[in-house]
Amino acid sequence: MPATPTRRQRLRAELLDEARSAARRLLAEHGVDGVTMVAVAKEVGIAGPGMYRYFDGRPGLLAAVYDDTMDELTAYLDVVVARQPDDDPVARLHAATHALFVWCRGHRNEFDLLLGADAQQAADAGTGPSRPHFVHRLGPVFLPAFAALWRAGVPFPADVAPGLAAELDAYRAVLVQDAPGVADDVPVGVVHTVVGFWRQVYGLLCMVAYDQLDHAFGTFDALFDDMMRGLLASLGLEPSPGARLVEP
């Protein structure tokens, strides 16, 4: 039976939770530059040096807010995927992609931290190499849908250039670690499609997050729908009528 936390331990845990929540708010309001030890200390009402009892300097603080933001995103995607029919991988893929699009559109500073311009700043601060890569964390969300489509007989590309095939095989080894039991036996053609899928989705997310061509596309909803139809059509599929998409 675990020991009951002391009052001091409880207070420390509560202040740590408050500090992480404050850091998350500062990220949303001011971006990565606004997430500093002094700013968080001010938010929770303690002296700046006191923050070093809870975080290993600013790199540790950024690591915590990175993890919290990533956990928030993946939990959101998991909820959306769980709303889809279990036997409809097209709906699960479509809904998860749309949810990612909606989340990144509404969380531009968070997008920067996870895979945008500020991701490099986080890496330079010492958090990058130790943080799970954005795509790796998303692998268990998206890869099962592609694997299910392949097992259902959907044709994936079979001819991949030898040099690229070797690189895709190395990437597949990473995916197997991220989603054990899901990608172990998928051929490189499936991994090739996953990489091509992410390449297009990431491009759209950057356009949305950085206001590129927003004067023409506005919310980018129509462009997202066009992209999704094209991605599915490349596999001979159409959007699932059963997909329960996130409201824009």
Side-chain angles (χ1 to χ4, degrees), residues 98-148:
H98 186 253
L100 177 63
F101 164 74
V102 171
W103 190 90
C104 288
R105 183 172 64 187
H107 298 79
R108 299 189 180 193
N109 287 334
E110 292 87 338
F111 172 92
D112 254 355
L113 175 65
L114 297 182
L115 78 165
D118 285 334
Q120 187 58 51
Q121 180 178 340
D124 292 342
T127 65
S130 64
R131 310 263 58 77
H133 192 280
F134 183 93
V135 177
H136 295 179
R137 285 290 302 271
L138 291 189
V141 177
F142 288 90
L143 188 60
F146 285 101

